[in-house]
Amino acid sequence: MKNAQKAILALEDGSIFEGRSFGFPGEKSGEVVFNTSMTGYQEILTDPSYKGQIVIMTYPLIGNYGVNEEDIESKEPRVEGFIVKENSTLFSNWRGDKSLSDYLVKHQIMGVEGMDTRAISKHIRSVGAMKAILSTEDLDRDRLVEKAKASPGLIGRDLVKEVTCERPYQWMGSNNPNFSNFDLRPSTLQFRPKVVVLDYGVKYNILRSLKDRNFQVTVLPASSSVESILSYQPDGILLSNGPGDPEGVPYAIETVHQLIGKKPIFGICLGHQLLGLAMGGKTFKLKFGHRGANQPVKELKTGRVMITSQNHGFCVDLNSLNPDEIELTQINLNDQTLEGMRHKKLPIFSVQYHPE
């Protein structure tokens, strides 16, 4: 690694961190966030919910089991940049077929190691997630800070349009959806309940989980009209996860609002937030978000506590929902924020975490 390029992370508050590149060189802006998971880095890289973000892994050694073609959550990595304390140059796993470094280079994703990830995470935890620039090209600190300040950030920005599918398709269980298989004979599917998934950046594992439970799964672009959605005659509608600020996709909020009362609806993560807005609630930005595989969620009716996987920076304000219509079902035990809700009269419910 002696010849590795120098890399600089500049935060909008003027903080500077140095490291060295092990992925694709370049310069990227994004909101810098941290994830506390010890494994699952390939799933994190390919989770569309991370679009617009530079992800820091708090676990110190990443890459030790390599990368394979199966453990992906979308067709390609979605993060703007990936920062680790130490990238493992050797990987050992019977399913691994390439190194993390090779994977990042192949998909032109910036990867940086050698930074003090503990210091960065503690800083974010204290002052909050913020805009940043990661660069191997421009190493002028003052100029990079100014670039970070001028970068677009997440608030009010529509990132869903950058990760949603371009046209409808049917999920057949492959990580590479075959759009040509969309027009299947109805007779072969008539005994399977039909679910329409509105793709705001859906993770493949949500689609896998639905298919494993014998659903016929049709995935539609985020911009699909109410008429188009209902034309598939679904038995239920799933509002998927996705990146960024829910208020940045007003067309999705309006569509969900019009769907209320017409079909059973289930929302996950961004889908949960859009549902909250569509039902008259409000959302707000969390200080540093919930990202990791160890978030404790309490079910209010039973008192049961679940350890959940989460990735979100915005949240539904639990005090903004109409208590005559909406029941709060789950809360986060770390900060008491809303993790689940359901409509008291209609078949509508949602969760903030990832149940799949």
Side-chain angles (χ1 to χ4, degrees), residues 158-162 164 199-200 221-224 226 246-258 274:
D158 182 2
L159 290 169
V160 169
K161 65 182 180 182
E162 300 184 37
T164 188
D199 179 11
Y200 306 124
S223 59
S224 298
V226 173
E247 293 186 359
V249 281
Y251 56 89
I253 299 169
E254 179 58 27
T255 298
V256 174
H257 178 73
Q258 293 181 41
L274 294 173

Side-chain angles (χ1 to χ4, degrees), residues 210-222:
L210 289 171
K211 188 175 184 298
D212 288 346
R213 286 157 180 78
N214 204 38
F215 286 104
Q216 175 189 340
V217 183
T218 301
V219 185
L220 302 184

Side-chain angles (χ1 to χ4, degrees), residues 338-352:
L338 183 63
E339 291 283 357
M341 62 184 179
R342 74 173 185 87
H343 199 283
K344 292 183 177 180
K345 300 175 183 177
L346 300 171
I348 298 174
F349 65 112
S350 63
V351 293
Q352 179 62 76

Side-chain angles (χ1 to χ4, degrees), residues 92-148:
S92 178
N93 187 281
W94 67 276
R95 297 172 69 240
D97 55 29
K98 63 172 62 70
S99 70
L100 174 59
S101 180
D102 288 342
Y103 185 71
L104 294 179
V105 171
K106 175 185 176 182
H107 292 282
Q108 300 187 11
I109 300 296
M110 294 190 68
V112 173
E113 69 170 332
M115 287 188 179
D116 190 341
T117 54
R118 181 180 177 85
I120 303 171
S121 299
K122 289 180 68 176
H123 185 64
I124 295 171
R125 192 177 62 187
S126 298
V127 302
M130 66 187 78
K131 297 186 293 183
I133 289 283
L134 184 63
S135 182
T136 61
E137 297 175 344
D138 185 352
L139 302 181
D140 184 289
R141 296 182 172 209
D142 293 336
R143 190 160 55 231
L144 287 174
V145 171
E146 291 305 312
K147 287 182 181 180

Side-chain angles (χ1 to χ4, degrees), residues 144-213:
L144 287 174
V145 171
E146 291 305 312
K147 287 182 181 180
K149 292 178 180 179
S151 63
L154 298 184
I155 296 177
R157 184 176 167 195
D158 182 2
L159 290 169
V160 169
K161 65 182 180 182
E162 300 184 37
V163 297
T164 188
C165 57
E166 295 181 357
R167 60 187 188 275
Y169 67 91
Q170 218 154 39
W171 178 258
M172 304 304 295
S174 168
N175 283 344
N176 298 296
N178 188 344
F179 294 95
S180 64
N181 285 338
F182 180 68
D183 293 320
L184 299 180
R185 293 176 300 165
S187 60
T188 65
L189 301 169
Q190 60 184 345
F191 300 113
R192 297 170 61 192
K194 294 183 288 186
V195 172
V196 161
V197 177
L198 293 182
D199 179 11
Y200 306 124
V202 67
K203 288 171 62 179
Y204 283 171
N205 209 33
I206 292 175
L207 305 180
R208 296 184 195 114
S209 298
L210 289 171
K211 188 175 184 298
D212 288 346
R213 286 157 180 78

Side-chain angles (χ1 to χ4, degrees), residues 269 272-273 275-277 279 281-284 286 290 295-298 300 308 310 312 314-322 326-342 350-353:
C269 201
H272 159 84
Q273 297 163 13
L275 189 57
L277 290 169
M279 294 192 297
K282 298 179 180 179
T283 57
F284 64 95
L286 293 164
H290 301 159
Q295 293 284 331
V297 170
K298 181 178 180 179
L300 297 177
T308 67
Q310 301 195 15
H312 64 104
F314 293 81
C315 187
V316 177
D317 182 352
L318 52 82
N319 295 314
S320 69
L321 299 168
N322 184 350
I326 309 301
E327 176 187 355
L328 310 183
T329 58
Q330 297 167 74
I331 60 168
N332 188 296
L333 289 181
N334 284 336
D335 59 10
Q336 307 302 305
T337 53
L338 183 63
E339 291 283 357
M341 62 184 179
R342 74 173 185 87
S350 63
V351 293
Q352 179 62 76
Y353 55 91

